[in-house]
Amino acid sequence: ILGGYEARPHLKPFMASLQLDGQHVCGGFLVAEQWVLSAAHCTEETGDKLFQVLLGAHSLTEQEPHKRLYRVRAQFPHPGSNKHNNKDDLLLLQLEEKAELNADVQVLPFQREDRDVAPDTVCEVAGWGITSHSGRRPDRLQQVERPVISRDVCNHRTRHDGTITNNMMCTDSRRRDTCKGDSGGPLVCGGVAEGLVTAGSRVCGNYKKPAIYTRLAPYAAWIDGVMASADG
Ligand SMILES: CC(C)CC(=O)Nc1cccc(-c2cccc(CN)c2)c1
């Protein structure tokens, strides 16, 4: 997160850190007791290595009462996801067991009504992604508020030039923005997850490249289907 600030500890109990060999790679959130939703792009540099999922954390390193690392039983990238574009950039992770819910570990509902969030709506996004262009990685969860911009503005030829589909949404990226390591985290508007951070142009903090999110409502049936199928 660029231009943000440290979140109040454990006030986002749905936040997940996807880790490889104890290293934070991407964000995600608890969408059901045994399921974490993140971005398919996060598996790009991991091949078929399995993530572990850290829940109940504020600091990535310090001991905290409800912090717990879960193994992943199975990973389900959306069948339409691929490394050449941002389409269908979703990843469902089935945890080895149901997460133990408590004050620091809670499920976050996601938007099921397929209607665009109004432009200028201020939403919030959190993550342990880099906090500077030099690539500084935070130990503690960061957050930032960002206004939604319309798909028409986001698709302008000077911005994302027509690549933003109805399954995506954008927020202003002037200074305050998502960045490397924030992928997969939820965009929360009015207490509901409306989108998932996607890397898009992999540019951060430049107003000409607004932040892109995969909208969740269009994928409600896929999410429910995968969770139901894998004895979720
Ligand atoms: C998928 C990971 C394993 C690799 C990766 O994420 N790279 C990467 C590099 C530079 C910027 C970004 C990035 C992320 C989230 C939002 C944005 C744009 N605001 C950029 C992402």
Side-chain angles (χ1 to χ4, degrees):
I1 300 279
L2 296 187
Y5 53 95
E6 184 179 338
R8 299 270 305 283
H10 309 294
L11 288 191
K12 296 173 192 312
F14 47 80
M15 281 304 295
S17 164
L18 270 54
Q19 313 212 333
L20 279 180
D21 307 328
Q23 178 97 356
H24 171 84
V25 173
C26 273
F29 74 97
L30 202 61
V31 71
E33 281 187 273
Q34 198 161 352
W35 295 88
V36 166
L37 190 54
S38 184
H41 270 96
C42 295
T43 62
E44 240 166 50
E45 294 162 15
T46 68
D48 52 4
K49 268 198 263 177
L50 281 187
F51 283 114
Q52 284 189 304
V53 172
L54 181 66
L55 296 177
H58 178 62
S59 160
L60 291 176
T61 57
E62 286 155 35
Q63 222 176 349
E64 295 169 337
H66 294 126
K67 203 170 151 180
R68 205 174 135 187
L69 200 56
Y70 288 84
R71 288 156 97 86
V72 167
R73 179 180 297 175
Q75 300 185 154
F76 300 85
H78 190 285
S81 62
N82 65 76
K83 54 172 64 64
H84 306 294
N85 60 38
N86 305 307
K87 284 202 175 63
D88 303 332
D89 189 16
L90 299 109
L91 171 70
L92 264 171
L93 302 164
Q94 183 182 29
L95 304 179
E96 192 57 73
E97 60 182 294
K98 282 190 177 181
E100 196 181 316
L101 302 184
N102 52 59
D104 303 342
V105 181
Q106 287 293 317
V107 169
L108 174 69
F110 67 91
Q111 182 58 258
R112 290 171 172 276
E113 277 178 52
D114 192 350
R115 195 175 322 122
D116 280 333
V117 177
D120 297 332
T121 303
V122 175
C123 302
E124 62 179 33
V125 59
W128 287 275
I130 61 175
T131 54
S132 73
H133 281 100
S134 62
R136 176 174 158 60
R137 286 180 289 127
D139 175 60
R140 291 186 287 279
L141 186 65
Q142 306 291 303
Q143 74 175 70
V144 74
E145 281 72 40
R146 298 315 296 142
V148 171
I149 62 173
S150 73
R151 188 169 293 103
D152 285 352
V153 167
C154 201
N155 265 326
H156 192 270
R157 63 183 165 75
T158 62
R159 304 296 194 269
H160 287 299
D161 195 14
T163 63
I164 307 302
T165 68
N166 289 344
N167 291 350
M168 301 171 192
M169 64 186 287
C170 301
T171 59
D172 176 87
S173 52
R174 195 171 70 85
R175 279 212 314 277
R176 296 175 171 74
D177 192 11
T178 50
C179 202
K180 183 174 172 63
D182 291 324
S183 298
L187 178 70
V188 184
C189 315
V192 176
E194 291 281 354
L196 272 185
V197 177
T198 189
S201 56
R202 302 203 165 184
V203 166
C204 310
N206 180 337
Y207 77 101
K208 295 225 165 190
K209 293 298 171 200
I212 307 172
Y213 307 81
T214 303
R215 292 183 59 241
L216 293 176
Y219 297 94
W222 176 73
I223 292 167
D224 290 343
V226 169
M227 293 199 295
S229 72
D231 70 54

